[in-house]
């Protein structure tokens, strides 16, 4: 992997139809890459860390053979604004979009599995937790400093630091079916108002640590 590492000026390549496989970390560290379209002819993709550290990458399209967004796939892609998965995706791995500060929206409907820290540092302003998701994992949206509005939908459990450091959040309504908060909002510097509307909720030790007085 990393065959293009340190290529600061090469902005894209055309992948020929003769290429059938793309492996983990193949484009890692390609700092000049701005846009890449992987054709449908590529039938095998193991995409862990595929674009790790591609800090100028703005857009990617991948073929229908890839149904998941694996660990670290876009980690450090701070310029990413859009991506297209031809066949959709049902799983998003650990730190998959870590540091994607320019990514303001994402479609999460149909996603059933999320890794820890999958969106830490992303540029979301609002987010809707998808249907069927009852637990928000550890540090899922940690450091999303633009995030203001959260639709918890069917959430029952909020993981530790899930929204830690989300400084744009000023108020929260914690309502049914939420029943457990494990310090999900630690360090939210501007969180001044919390309304507890759940009928039966458990807060872990340290839930309200590092909140403004």
């Amino acid at each position: 992997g990393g065959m293009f590492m340190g290529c600061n000026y090469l902005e894209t390549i055309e992948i020929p139809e003769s290429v059938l496989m793309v492996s983990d970390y193949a484009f890692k560290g390609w700092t000049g890459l701005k846009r890449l379209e992987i054709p449908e002819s590529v039938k095998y993709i193991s995409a862990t860390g595929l674009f790790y550290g591609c800090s100028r990458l703005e857009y990617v399209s991948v073929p229908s053979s890839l149904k998941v967004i694996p660990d670290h796939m876009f980690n450090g892609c701070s310029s990413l604004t859009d991506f297209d998965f031809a066949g959709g995706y049902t799983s998003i791995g650990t730190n998959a979009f870590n540091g994607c500060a320019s990514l303001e929206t994402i479609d999460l409907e149909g996603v059933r599995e999320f890794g820890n820290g999958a969106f830490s540092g992303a540029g979301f302003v609002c987010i809707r937790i998808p249907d069927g998701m009852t637990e928000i994992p550890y540090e899922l949206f940690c450091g999303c400093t633009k995030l203001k509005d959260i639709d918890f939908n069917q959430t029952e459990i909020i993981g530790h630091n899930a929204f830690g450091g989300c400084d744009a959040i000023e108020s929260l309504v914690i309502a049914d079916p939420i029943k457990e908060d494990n310090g999900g909002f630690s360090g939210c510097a501007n969180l001044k108002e919390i309304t507890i509307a759940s009928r039966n909720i458990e807060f872990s030790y340290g839930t309200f640590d590092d909140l403004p007085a």
Side-chain angles (χ1 to χ4, degrees), residues 47-130:
T48 297
L50 190 63
F51 299 103
Y52 196 115
C54 294
S55 57
R56 296 177 66 195
L57 181 65
E58 298 172 358
Y59 172 80
V60 166
S61 68
V62 300
S64 55
S65 56
L66 187 62
K67 302 287 188 187
V68 301
I69 300 177
D71 297 352
H72 303 287
M73 183 172 182
F74 296 106
N75 195 333
C77 295
S78 55
S79 300
L80 185 71
T81 58
D82 195 15
F83 60 93
D84 180 32
F85 273 59
Y89 46 90
T90 59
S91 173
I92 298 176
T94 297
N95 290 325
F97 292 95
N98 179 50
C100 291
S102 299
L103 187 65
E104 296 184 350
T105 61
I106 190 170
D107 182 8
L108 299 181
E109 290 306 322
V111 181
R112 293 292 175 261
E113 184 177 351
F114 294 85
N116 294 336
F119 305 112
S120 55
F124 307 140
V125 175
C126 59
I127 202 74
R128 182 181 188 272
I129 304 302

Side-chain angles (χ1 to χ4, degrees), residues 29-198:
W30 181 358
T31 50
L33 178 64
K34 286 189 173 182
R35 182 182 180 93
L36 190 67
E37 299 181 13
I38 302 176
E40 281 291 331
S41 57
V42 176
K43 301 301 181 185
Y44 307 99
I45 303 179
S46 54
T48 297
L50 190 63
F51 299 103
Y52 196 115
C54 294
S55 57
R56 296 177 66 195
L57 181 65
E58 298 172 358
Y59 172 80
V60 166
S61 68
V62 300
S64 55
S65 56
L66 187 62
K67 302 287 188 187
V68 301
I69 300 177
D71 297 352
H72 303 287
M73 183 172 182
F74 296 106
N75 195 333
C77 295
S78 55
S79 300
L80 185 71
T81 58
D82 195 15
F83 60 93
D84 180 32
F85 273 59
Y89 46 90
T90 59
S91 173
I92 298 176
T94 297
N95 290 325
F97 292 95
N98 179 50
C100 291
S102 299
L103 187 65
E104 296 184 350
T105 61
I106 190 170
D107 182 8
L108 299 181
E109 290 306 322
V111 181
R112 293 292 175 261
E113 184 177 351
F114 294 85
N116 294 336
F119 305 112
S120 55
F124 307 140
V125 175
C126 59
I127 202 74
R128 182 181 188 272
I129 304 302
D131 292 343
M133 181 176 177
T134 59
E135 182 172 358
I136 301 176
Y138 173 79
E139 292 191 346
L140 187 64
F141 299 102
C142 182
C144 293
T145 57
K146 299 177 184 177
L147 184 62
K148 292 182 178 182
D149 298 310
I150 307 161
D151 181 348
F152 290 105
N153 198 6
Q154 300 168 0
T155 300
E156 296 179 4
I157 300 171
I158 300 173
H160 179 64
N161 225 23
F163 298 95
C166 292
D167 291 343
I169 298 176
E170 296 181 356
S171 64
L172 278 175
V173 176
I174 298 179
D176 290 332
I178 297 173
K179 59 184 180 182
E180 185 178 333
D181 178 13
N182 298 294
F185 300 93
S186 177
C188 292
N190 294 301
L191 180 55
K192 299 172 184 176
E193 181 181 350
I194 303 175
T195 302
I196 309 296
S198 292

